[in-house]
Amino acid sequence: MGVLFTKHCVLCGEMLPAAGTGKAMLCPPCAAEVRQRYRCTEAIHITGATDTVAALYYTGKVKQAMQRFKFQHKQHYADWFAAQMLPLLTERLDTWKPDLVTFMPIGWLRRRERGYNQAELLAKAVAEPLGLPCRATLRKRAFTPKQSAQKDAAARQQNAERALLPRESAETRGKSVVLIDDIVTTGATAAAAVKLLREMGAAKIFVLAAAYTPGK
């Protein structure tokens, strides 16, 4: 994808050698730490999804990097996060047999303030190397309350379901769809998206996330 050139480690910010740093990369200590600490090995259940996997645990340096990606205009971090996700999809191509890659939407106001949808950047970076189409299928309802403001799991689920609407031009009927999300925490938002994609006629929905909050 190569949105921006960087010479700094995505996780710790240390300067990297100039050679071979055309995309977001890690310094050797952080690369070792990812292998030892941050690879997600848990089984994840999203209601209605055929299967769900995440590349990393949303904690420590990965959590900090994700927050910079989302809130500090580090669009080029999509290269590194997508590189962690891509092997998970590649090794499941024969079982998932995806027809389409899509992504969680964000609200128009947040999109205007941020300038991009981080899930969309991830989806494009994952889909392109595999020659898969990447399209928006869902949209966010305006003025939806924040998930973090909901008092319990039931309220979060109801709020998430109200927050999403189908795009009129979306073609999902009968398709095997991979839904890209940046972070799965309680799974309420992803479950709402899966439910809506089912109602839109998708035959199978697989959730692929960059990160998963452990212990949820």
Side-chain angles (χ1 to χ4, degrees):
M1 192 175 147
V3 178
L4 293 174
F5 185 85
T6 180
K7 293 183 179 180
H8 295 86
C9 174
V10 169
L11 295 191
C12 73
E14 287 295 315
M15 185 76 73
L16 294 171
T21 57
K23 290 187 176 183
M25 295 176 63
L26 300 182
C27 66
C30 284
E33 193 171 357
V34 167
R35 293 191 297 270
Q36 297 163 7
R37 178 182 177 189
Y38 292 117
R39 293 290 181 205
C40 181
T41 57
E42 291 185 40
I44 305 170
H45 175 72
I46 299 294
T47 301
T50 310
D51 194 10
T52 301
V53 291
L56 304 160
Y57 285 119
Y58 185 62
T59 186
K61 291 180 181 178
V62 168
K63 181 176 181 177
Q64 294 167 4
M66 179 63 77
Q67 290 175 344
R68 292 194 296 273
F69 174 35
K70 293 178 66 171
F71 305 120
Q72 297 181 23
H73 304 287
K74 301 293 186 181
Q75 297 100 309
H76 59 287
Y77 279 27
D79 283 325
W80 183 75
F81 279 110
Q84 313 313 303
M85 302 164 69
L86 185 58
L88 298 179
L89 180 55
T90 301
E91 67 188 24
R92 289 167 172 78
L93 287 177
D94 289 341
T95 53
W96 287 11
K97 295 181 171 58
D99 300 305
L100 171 68
V101 175
T102 191
F103 47 88
M104 292 295 303
I106 60 175
W108 66 270
L109 181 59
R110 184 167 296 177
R111 176 65 181 258
R112 188 177 70 177
E113 292 173 346
R114 190 175 301 169
Y116 57 94
N117 174 356
Q118 69 280 352
E120 181 179 4
L121 295 183
L122 294 172
K124 289 179 177 178
V126 167
E128 184 178 2
L130 300 176
L132 294 170
C134 179
R135 302 190 186 98
T137 57
L138 308 172
R139 59 189 176 93
K140 196 80 173 284
R141 189 190 300 272
F143 308 114
T144 302
K146 291 183 178 181
Q147 283 292 86
S148 58
Q150 307 309 304
K151 61 182 180 179
D152 55 31
R156 287 192 294 270
Q157 184 65 40
Q158 291 177 358
N159 187 63
E161 291 180 0
R162 289 195 297 265
L164 298 175
L165 296 168
R167 284 186 174 270
E168 294 181 2
S169 59
E171 297 181 5
T172 57
R173 186 162 300 279
K175 295 185 181 297
S176 177
V177 178
V178 176
L179 173 67
I180 301 295
D181 203 354
D182 55 352
I183 310 160
V184 170
T185 301
T186 65
T189 304
V194 168
K195 180 180 178 181
L196 184 53
L197 287 167
R198 290 280 188 193
E199 292 171 356
M200 294 163 63
K204 296 180 180 180
I205 303 105
F206 303 93
V207 179
L208 172 58
Y212 170 70
T213 304
K216 296 296 182 180

